Amino acid sequence: MKSKKMIIGLMMLVTLLANGVVMADVNDYGAVGAMTDEAYTLEEMLVYAIQDEYLARGEYESIMEKFDVQRPFSNIIKSEETHISLLVPLFEQYGFEIPTDTSEDHLIIPDTITETYAIGVEAEENNIEMYATFLQQDLPEEVRDVFERLLASSENHLSAFENGLSRSTQGFGRRGK
């Protein structure tokens, strides 16, 4: 049963990706931007990380407004706020400028709630990949600890989006099936 749900979810994701539906512009911003680099300075890793957290928060706020939904987005927004609050002191500790939140310039919200779940899955997978890549670097212990926490949180968010996608594709989702 679970494998059938995963297959349905993957089919939806492939369809959406083939049609070019994305939540964030593909550019040098957040996790997508991080994956275009091969080597990172500490500052670059922190910038990509906070950009991705800004982007997630902005996307989920926009989704909640557009589709008049709360969960799982409201819970995940709280997590994104926590993630940002974990990153800010690292910028301060290392004397790096905290980037301005320009995530609004990078938002593209899909037309249906089902698409948002599918894109949420992709976004969290990208986020997990970004943090896993960063954790392969030589990092100060406090930075490593924060990245490990953020990676674990993204794994939880991924589960929430997979569950939402499964419910939505089976006709149990809210609006915009």
Side-chain angles (χ1 to χ4, degrees):
M1 180 72 141
K2 187 166 182 124
S3 63
K4 184 177 179 182
K5 291 179 186 178
M6 290 298 293
I7 291 170
I8 291 170
L10 289 173
M11 288 173 42
M12 289 287 298
L13 182 60
V14 168
T15 300
L16 293 170
L17 294 175
N19 291 323
V21 178
V22 295
M23 286 178 101
D25 283 336
V26 177
N27 57 23
D28 197 29
Y29 193 87
V32 173
M35 294 298 105
T36 63
D37 281 347
E38 293 181 16
Y40 310 91
T41 65
L42 179 59
E43 183 175 16
E44 288 170 333
M45 287 185 277
L46 291 172
V47 167
Y48 284 132
I50 204 165
Q51 286 175 341
D52 207 61
E53 303 303 337
Y54 287 156
L55 187 59
R57 179 181 62 189
E59 288 171 346
Y60 305 146
E61 288 170 346
S62 295
I63 288 166
M64 287 173 53
E65 184 178 317
K66 179 175 180 174
F67 296 105
D68 190 29
V69 294
Q70 291 298 306
R71 291 186 179 211
F73 305 103
S74 60
N75 292 338
I76 296 175
I77 286 173
K78 291 176 188 171
S79 291
E80 303 307 342
E81 292 289 342
T82 299
H83 301 170
I84 292 165
S85 72
L86 290 171
L87 290 165
V88 166
L90 296 174
F91 280 90
E92 293 167 348
Q93 179 177 346
Y94 291 96
F96 303 140
E97 184 177 335
I98 300 168
T100 304
D101 181 357
T102 61
S103 62
E104 189 172 302
D105 299 339
H106 305 275
L107 299 179
I108 300 172
I109 305 302
D111 293 326
T112 70
I113 194 70
T114 299
E115 290 172 338
T116 66
Y117 291 125
I119 301 301
V121 167
E122 180 187 14
E124 293 302 336
E125 289 173 342
N126 288 341
N127 191 269
I128 290 166
E129 182 181 350
M130 176 183 73
Y131 286 122
T133 300
F134 291 171
L135 287 166
Q136 294 173 9
Q137 311 298 312
D138 183 25
L139 298 169
E141 187 172 333
E142 62 277 1
V143 175
R144 179 171 299 284
D145 290 344
V146 168
F147 286 171
E148 286 172 348
R149 284 182 65 182
L150 299 179
L151 182 126
S153 185
S154 290
E155 290 169 342
N156 291 334
H157 298 171
L158 176 60
S159 293
F161 286 122
E162 288 172 337
N163 290 338
L165 180 61
S166 176
R167 285 190 310 273
S168 184
T169 58
Q170 292 180 10
F172 300 114
R174 294 205 39 179
R175 302 168 189 194
K177 293 183 279 189

